[in-house]
Structures are given as C-alpha cells and as structure tokens.
Amino acid sequence: MVCEKSKILVFGATGYLGKYMVKASVSMGHPTYAYVRPVNPDAKPSKLQQHRELESLGVTIFQGELDEHETMVAALKQVDVVISTLAVPQHLEQFVPSEFGNEVDRVSGLPPFQALLENKKKVRRATEAAGIPFTYVSANSFAAYFVDYLLHPHERTQHVSIYGNGDAKAVLNFEEDVAAYTIRASVDPRVCNRVIIYRPPGNIVSQLDLVSSWEKKTGTKLQRTHIPEQDIIELSESLPFPENIPVAILHNIFIKGDQVSFELTANDLEASALYPDYKYTSVDKLLDLCLVNPPKPKRAAFA
C-alpha cells in the first residue's frame, strides 16, 4: 500500500526562498499548494509569469491577501502542512514559520537584529501556547546569496571586503538544500514540535576560508579590505530603519559568529545527521559551480 503524501501549502511561494520550497515539495511528490496575492490580467508580466511557472509545476494556487481571513482559513483546511517563507513572520497538521535563519532562542544581536529575533520568539511562543504542532527551522545563512554578496563571482572582482578580522565561522547552506531539508522535516514525526538546525560540517566556514578557497580555484590573489567591527556597530546605530538591519545581521553572522556560538548536543536535531542519505551541496562544491555558472540571487533577500 502506497503511503499518501502530505499536502503542503507554501506562503511566499513566488519569493526568493519560496520558489525553492515549492520545487522541493513537488519533486518529492507532495500535492503542493501556494497562497499568493491576487493577480489581475493587467498585472505586470513578471507576476503573470510567476503564476504560469507555478501552474506548470502542477501547483494548486490560492489567491488572497494575508488579511482575508475567510480565504486563508479555506486554504488551510485543505492541507496538512503549512510552510511560511514570507519575509516577516505571519500565520493543519504542522506549521513551519518564517524563520530560516539563526536559532533565535540561543543567539543575540545588535539592537536592529535583536528586534527581529524578539519578533520571531513571540511567534514561537504564540504557536506553542495555541497548541499548534510546529517545526522551527534554523537554516542559518543562504550560501548562494552570501557567496554572491561577499565574492561577487559574476564580476570576477579583484577586491573583497572582510567584516571584522574574518576569522568568525558561519554556516552557509545552499538554498536548494534548505528547501529539501525543510520539506523532509515538515512531514517527519521526529521533528514535530522541535527545532531542526542546518549545520552540515562542509558548510562551516569563515570569510577568510571562503576568500582563500576562491583564490585557489580562480588562481587570483584578491585585495582584502577589512571593515572594523566598530564601524559596523556605528552604522547599525546611525542608519535609519530598515537599512540598519542588514548591517546588524552582517555583524552577527560574520563578526560575532553566532551561528556556531553554541555546541550541538545529543538532544539537538541537525539536518545532515538526521538525513544522511541526502547529498547536500558543500560550500566547496558551490564555489566549483560558481566557476562555471554562478547563481544570481536577489539582493532583496538580505533586506
């Protein structure tokens, strides 16, 4: 007897991470649904194309605004799992909220970033208080995005900026792997009401590690400019909201090294250990891809 696949609904399905999530869900055979803003026939061609792409994958589309309660409830009643990839946390059998970053209950940051962490904590506590089964995903950093941001592989630049001394370790996970792990975890009873952390050993690198590897692969010596930690702190204090948020995030990831600031214990769930059969893309392999056809992420994802 074939086990029936869970029906998965993705919020933010046309966004940066949402597109990966939809493709991963479809590829694993799940009936996949997307909740998207209504699109009129006279909408921008890019919006119409996004809908056509979803339809071509066999995705069922629900159109509605986030404040249309009845429309949203009607969609939720038809699925088993809800995954939110919206830029700001929003609201079944399982809820995977909009996190996909640091493990919010175990890290802290400069005030602009700390405010985001506190917001995510509130969503966690509200979810738990409501008795909704959940999976919290700590995916750390998107590898294609930050490799592009730090190394500019499309441009083959001769110069790179190093935040702080460059020694702090970060966890850079390829976006396709983040989506694949998330779809697996969302229907895995072992992860229900738990936090799952994406920290594959091949993806723990410092900025200096990244730059050195890229220099070896390209045969090019890069000029490095170090940006002092104090400059980043002062920028986070002087820039207006929301421009101060990316600066505070850079500090947390690449200067403070918060993504590996705590040890994983036997009680923690780590994705590559939980799903050893899945062959993730290491940072080294991603750099090899960048030599031939580097991914071009949307810069808006960082903001």
Side-chain angles (χ1 to χ4, degrees):
M1 181 177 179
V2 178
C3 181
E4 185 176 348
K5 291 282 189 174
S6 295
K7 299 175 182 177
I8 296 179
L9 171 63
V10 179
F11 281 79
T14 60
Y16 180 60
L17 181 59
K19 292 179 180 179
Y20 288 101
M21 208 66 67
V22 166
K23 290 179 181 178
S25 178
V26 170
S27 70
M28 294 183 197
H30 292 283
T32 305
Y33 302 74
Y35 191 95
V36 301
R37 282 183 164 180
V39 173
N40 299 317
D42 58 348
K44 292 181 179 179
S46 60
K47 292 292 183 183
L48 295 172
Q49 179 61 27
Q50 288 174 343
H51 272 234
R52 285 193 290 268
E53 289 175 358
L54 290 173
E55 291 171 343
S56 70
L57 292 171
V59 174
T60 300
I61 299 175
F62 297 117
Q63 295 193 46
E65 300 289 351
L66 293 177
D67 58 0
E68 293 179 3
H69 181 76
E70 291 184 2
T71 303
M72 188 179 296
V73 169
L76 296 176
K77 286 182 176 179
Q78 298 185 48
V79 302
D80 305 309
V81 175
V82 177
I83 298 176
S84 177
T85 62
L86 296 165
V88 178
Q90 315 281 343
H91 309 274
L92 322 242
E93 288 184 11
Q94 189 114 339
F95 176 47
V96 182
S98 301
E99 294 211 0
F100 303 105
N102 289 8
E103 213 298 83
V104 301
D105 284 325
R106 297 162 82 171
V107 302
S108 60
L110 297 175
F113 186 40
Q114 186 63 35
L116 288 185
L117 296 176
E118 294 299 329
N119 190 26
K120 292 183 178 183
K121 289 180 186 180
K122 289 179 181 178
V123 174
R124 285 190 176 190
R125 304 294 88 83
T127 301
E128 294 157 7
I132 301 171
F134 63 83
T135 295
Y136 299 146
V137 171
S138 172
N140 291 305
S141 298
F142 295 154
Y145 179 86
F146 277 108
V147 165
D148 182 73
Y149 185 86
L150 296 170
L151 298 179
H152 313 291
H154 287 87
E155 305 165 18
R156 291 296 178 93
T157 180
Q158 303 298 307
H159 174 268
V160 291
S161 296
I162 304 291
Y163 299 95
N165 61 22
D167 289 329
K169 298 289 186 179
V171 185
L172 306 184
N173 293 313
F174 190 37
E175 286 81 337
E176 288 184 6
D177 298 337
V178 170
Y181 280 139
T182 301
I183 297 300
R184 285 194 173 200
S186 71
V187 296
D188 186 344
R190 296 175 297 174
V191 194
C192 187
N193 296 335
R194 299 285 301 275
V195 178
I196 181 169
I197 299 170
Y198 301 175
R199 197 192 281 185
N203 292 347
I204 302 172
V205 295
S206 69
Q207 293 175 87
L208 294 182
D209 294 334
L210 202 61
V211 171
S212 295
S213 294
W214 188 239
E215 287 177 331
K216 290 177 182 178
K217 291 179 183 295
T218 60
T220 303
K221 185 68 176 176
L222 300 176
Q223 180 184 349
R224 310 175 191 197
T225 299
H226 285 261
I227 302 175
E229 178 179 10
Q230 188 57 37
D231 288 2
I232 299 296
I233 294 174
E234 291 175 0
L235 273 176
S236 76
E237 295 170 342
S238 62
L239 287 172
F241 176 87
E243 286 86 353
N244 55 359
I245 295 175
V247 176
I249 292 174
L250 283 174
H251 178 273
N252 182 269
I253 298 173
F254 295 111
I255 296 179
K256 191 179 179 188
D258 241 4
Q259 293 178 342
V260 293
S261 63
F262 56 93
E263 294 292 330
L264 298 183
T265 70
N267 293 324
D268 285 310
L269 296 177
E270 195 284 310
S272 64
L274 196 62
Y275 308 115
D277 60 306
Y278 180 78
K279 304 304 180 185
Y280 69 88
T281 301
S282 67
V283 169
D284 186 67
K285 290 179 181 176
L286 179 58
L287 292 182
D288 287 338
L289 291 175
C290 288
L291 288 172
V292 180
N293 185 26
K296 185 60 177 176
K298 292 181 180 179
R299 282 293 166 90
F302 190 20

